[in-house]
Structure formats: C-alpha cells, structure tokens
Amino acid sequence: METQNEQWSSKLGFIYATAGTAIGLGAIWKFPYVAGTSGGGAFFLLFILFTLLIGLPLLIGEFILGRKTGKDAISTYKELAPKSAWVATGWIGVITCFIILTFYSVIGGWILIYLMNAITGQLSGLSVDQLGVEMGEIIANPWTTLGAQLVFILLTIIVVAKGIQQGIERASKVMMPALFVLLLIIAVRSLSLDGAMEGVQFLLLPDFSSITSETILFALGQALFALSLGISIMVTYSSYVPKTQSLPLAAGSIGIMNIFVALLAGLIIFPGVFTFGLEPSEGPQLIFVVLPAIFEQMMFGQLFLIAFLVLFLIAALTSAFSLLEIIVASRVKKEMSKRQKASWIIGIAAFVCGIPACLSFGVMADVEIFGLTFFDAADQLASNILMPLGALLISIFVPLKLSKTTLLNELKQGSSVASKLFMTWYFLLKYVTPIAIIVVFLDALGLFSLFY
C-alpha cells in the first residue's frame, strides 16, 4: 500500500490553486447576478467588508487546521477532537462538496456547449433577445446538456486523478494567470461601450438607501460562498502546504484576488447590461446572454468570445477540481494507489446524481422539491444551509479546540507579521465571525422573514 505525503511544489502553486477554488464560478458567474439582484454598489461594498472582516479570519482558521494535521477534512477533526461529534464538521464539508459538484457540473456543461457554438459561429450576429432564446433552448435540451455535463465531469476526474502537483497545481499555474489577463482585456473593452458609465455607477456608487436586511445577508452569504468557506476545501488544500508558507499572506492574497476578479466580472457584465437595455436582476443566465452581445460589438469579437469561454471553463474547472479533491482525499487518505480509482468512482457518481439538476430546465422543470427545481434545491441546500452551518462549526472549533499558543505558533511559521495580527484575527474569528454566520444561517432557514 503506497502512501505519499503530497505537497504543493511552490508557494505560488498553492495560492493559484486555492485562488482557483475561491474565484471560480463564485466570482465570475454568481457574483454579477447576485449583485444585480441585490442593489449593485451597496452590495459590492458590503461584500468587500465581509470578505475582509469575516471571510479572511475563517479562511486562515481553515488553513491552520489543515496544515497542522496534514490530513484530509474528516481525519483532521478526528485527530484534533478524537471520539467526538466534531467529525461531523468534516462530513458536512464532504457531503456539501458532492452536492455542489452535481449542479456546478451542469453549469460547466453549459459553458462547453456555448464554447462549441462560438467556435462553429452559431452565436455570431445574434441580438440580445435572440441570445436569450438561444440560452433557453440550450439548457432545455436534455441530451446535449447531459452530454456536456458528462464531458465536464470527465475533464475534472482526469486532472484530480493525477494528484496535487501533476494534476491540480500544474493546471492552476497556467489557468489562473491566463484568466486574469483575459478578464482585464475584456473589462477594458466593456468599459468602452455606450452605456458603460451607467454600469460602472451601478457597481461602484453605493446607494445606501437600497440596503435592506436581505442585501446585508446576501452579501455575507456571497463572501462565504466566494471563498469556498465552511466545506473544508481549504482544510484539505492546506494539508499539502509546507511549514515555510505564510498562511496570513496566502489568505490575504486569495482574498484580494477574489475581490479583484469580482470587480472585473462586474465591470464586464454591468456596462453590457445597461448598454443593451437588460435588467441587472436577470438571474443565473445573465453572463451567458450579456457577454456574447458585448463581444459582438468588438473587432475580432468572435475570437475574444471563444477565448473568454475557454477561460470561463477554466474557472469552472478549478472550482470542480477542489470539490472532487476534497471528497477523494477523504477516501484515499493520501494513499496514491487508491487515488485514480476513487476519482473515477466519485466523479461518475456525481454525474449520475446531477442528472435531475441538469434536466431541471427542460423535461424535469415541473418536478419540484419544497417548491424548488432539483437545481435550485441543490443550490439552496448547499449554499444557504450546509455552507453556513459548516462555517459556523469551524469558527467555533478552531478557538475551542486549539489553544492560543498553538494557533500563534502555527501562524508564525513562515510569517513575519503573524504576531502583530494575531489578537485582531483571534477576536474576529472567535466573536465576530460566528455571530455573523448565525445571522446568515437563521436567514437561510427563513427565521428573519417576518422582519422584511
């Protein structure tokens, strides 16, 4: 039985892979439409504050857990709190990752279909209205969407089966810099559209009168979702981190990159929204309708659209890598001989379980669970219930089960600033983060509905 202690080969490799997890579809796909439905600038300002004051302390907490034990999510809690119910925290993370993978792979499939349509010229010359119709037809076609979902899952399996250095890290080192460069180029072009300044104002000028309890709660939920917190992805990824890595520096870099990509995504989408007379609250399909219309106005727009869809696919894949990795890592326990088999079994199982979500926009559109389609039910369960629950448990677990001395010693390894930041970080994690997450969690359960 071959056991191999895998590690990231470089500090940058860890940051890119973790940033890919955090950025992914959360920043590029979900942020624009959630911001669009939640007030624009006010939402974005709250999102930044919550990312810095609540998301980053929790991210560092997850990093400490993983690097200290060097184990997967479930084994980490078993080691630090043996023979206790805390191991459920790891299981919540693994189960949530599986659920998210079932509907993320659906979106990944949509991107693949759009990419093929862009390559073959089927999106060329279409108006915004026609693009909306095209999107509706694509997601309603069962065989096309299922086939694309399967291809997306297969791509994810192939990379994860190769392991940390040869698979996830190697892919992320190429994918993430390319994503940043292309996002910058497209943002510059989008800002030159006729209605660009209206879009910029919508995103960057907060209208405080538009802030409601829902806006605050959505912004906090998005801050947790965008950093992939509460599902022990960061616990598992940091278990491959050497002691020479600065955890505060890594967390800060990831938080800043996440905010920056969300900003770029907003600067790409909202100028197009106002230029083409769309509603910012268009919903999950917003990016698939607006972007092709923006590229249609550009010189060599077809090539830029293809390039963006490739990078959009990359963002989706980097998220999918981490989702599958957390589940696989919990099964193989760093025994490399088991990795490939486990990757294939779990990946195919995610595809099968994701079939109802894939069909939720077509033949199973009328099949509902508690008034929601399978796709929306999976999203609600994972994003609004299990992720906040997992985040709450982790924020309580870290200061409860690890002493201040242990936490400080772990933070100081590889970092020259940890001592100065420690008390602020500890206060935020122990007191501010749990309270904020409880608010989000109670809202997810509908307990605040009487107040707004």
Side-chain angles (χ1 to χ4, degrees):
M1 189 177 293
E2 179 191 356
T3 302
Q4 178 177 327
N5 292 323
E6 289 194 285
Q7 284 194 336
W8 305 108
S9 66
S10 68
K11 295 178 181 180
L12 199 57
F14 166 61
I15 291 174
Y16 276 149
T18 313
T21 299
I23 291 167
L25 293 179
I28 297 176
W29 167 68
K30 194 165 188 177
F31 174 81
Y33 88 76
V34 176
T37 57
S38 306
F43 173 87
F44 186 42
L45 178 61
L46 290 170
F47 168 73
I48 293 173
L49 291 175
F50 289 145
T51 296
L52 297 176
L53 298 179
I54 296 169
L56 290 188
L58 186 58
L59 178 60
I60 293 172
E62 290 200 31
F63 279 171
I64 289 174
L65 291 178
R67 188 171 72 174
K68 177 168 178 56
T69 63
K71 295 183 177 180
D72 63 273
I74 294 173
S75 299
T76 289
Y77 298 102
K78 282 184 178 178
E79 178 174 316
L80 297 176
K83 297 180 181 179
S84 75
W86 281 107
V87 70
T89 308
W91 277 108
I92 288 171
V94 170
I95 292 168
T96 308
C97 285
F98 186 84
I99 294 171
I100 294 174
L101 186 57
T102 64
F103 69 86
Y104 250 37
S105 58
V106 175
I107 305 161
W110 294 352
I111 300 169
L112 280 169
I113 296 168
Y114 253 64
L115 177 59
M116 292 306 300
N117 286 357
I119 291 172
T120 57
Q122 293 183 46
L123 301 179
S124 180
L126 297 183
S127 66
V128 171
D129 291 339
Q130 289 171 324
L131 285 166
V133 172
E134 175 80 3
M135 181 63 192
E137 291 177 351
I138 286 173
I139 64 178
N141 187 312
W143 297 113
T144 303
T145 50
L146 282 173
Q149 181 191 11
L150 178 59
V151 172
F152 181 84
I153 284 285
L154 292 177
L155 291 172
T156 304
I157 292 170
I158 289 167
V159 171
V160 173
K162 289 181 179 295
I164 292 301
Q165 289 187 17
Q166 297 303 312
I168 296 172
E169 183 176 355
R170 178 176 287 182
S172 298
K173 277 184 174 179
V174 176
M175 291 174 169
M176 294 314 297
L179 180 62
F180 282 122
V181 170
L182 196 61
L183 282 172
L184 274 170
I185 293 171
I186 298 167
V188 170
R189 178 62 186 95
S190 185
L191 288 171
S192 69
L193 294 171
D194 292 340
M197 286 306 103
E198 284 186 75
V200 172
Q201 289 174 8
F202 178 79
L203 179 65
L204 298 183
L205 293 181
D207 176 8
F208 294 106
S209 66
S210 70
I211 295 179
T212 65
S213 55
E214 273 192 302
T215 305
I216 296 170
L217 295 165
F218 284 165
L220 185 50
Q222 178 65 17
L224 296 175
F225 183 88
L227 285 172
S228 300
L229 297 173
I231 50 179
S232 295
I233 283 178
M234 300 308 181
V235 173
T236 301
Y237 266 29
S238 60
S239 72
Y240 307 123
V241 173
K243 297 294 186 180
T244 54
Q245 176 84 36
S246 169
L247 298 183
L249 178 61
S253 300
I254 292 159
I256 291 169
M257 280 193 280
N258 197 47
I259 292 171
F260 182 60
V261 171
L263 172 63
L264 287 179
L267 291 177
I268 288 171
I269 291 296
F270 292 119
V273 167
F274 285 90
T275 296
F276 301 112
L278 298 174
E279 289 296 324
S281 56
E282 192 80 13
Q285 293 89 13
L286 182 64
I287 198 167
F288 292 97
V289 175
V290 175
L291 275 180
I294 293 173
F295 287 115
E296 189 65 29
Q297 308 299 313
M298 295 172 61
M299 185 179 294
F300 306 116
Q302 192 74 1
L303 290 176
F304 274 106
L305 176 58
I306 292 169
F308 178 81
L309 288 170
V310 168
L311 272 299
F312 192 24
L313 176 62
I314 286 169
L317 283 169
T318 54
S319 292
F321 295 161
S322 61
L323 294 168
L324 182 56
E325 171 62 26
I326 273 53
I327 310 165
V328 170
S330 71
R331 298 294 84 207
V332 304
K333 311 295 183 186
K334 294 193 175 182
E335 294 174 17
M336 285 297 292
S337 59
K338 296 181 177 180
R339 172 175 282 276
Q340 194 166 71
K341 181 179 179 181
S343 299
W344 281 97
I345 291 173
I346 295 166
I348 295 301
F351 166 71
V352 172
C353 293
I355 290 174
C358 186
L359 301 179
S360 292
F361 300 89
V363 295
M364 295 183 68
D366 295 328
V367 181
E368 296 183 341
I369 303 174
F370 301 112
L372 299 170
T373 65
F374 276 99
F375 184 98
D376 289 336
D379 189 8
Q380 288 284 331
L381 176 61
S383 304
N384 294 338
I385 297 177
L386 294 178
M387 286 186 80
L389 175 60
L392 175 63
L393 292 174
I394 293 169
S395 68
I396 294 171
F397 181 87
V398 174
L400 181 67
K401 292 298 182 179
L402 297 176
S403 67
K404 279 188 177 181
T405 302
T406 301
L407 291 170
L408 179 58
N409 288 339
E410 192 63 44
L411 271 183
K412 284 168 64 177
Q413 297 189 64
S415 174
S416 59
V417 298
S419 299
K420 299 175 183 177
L421 299 174
F422 179 77
M423 289 310 298
T424 301
W425 166 77
Y426 188 81
F427 174 80
L428 289 172
L429 180 68
K430 188 172 183 178
Y431 299 107
V432 178
T433 301
I435 293 171
I437 295 170
I438 287 171
V439 171
V440 173
F441 189 54
L442 292 178
D443 178 69
L445 297 177
L447 299 183
F448 288 158
S449 59
L450 295 177
F451 298 99
Y452 54 81

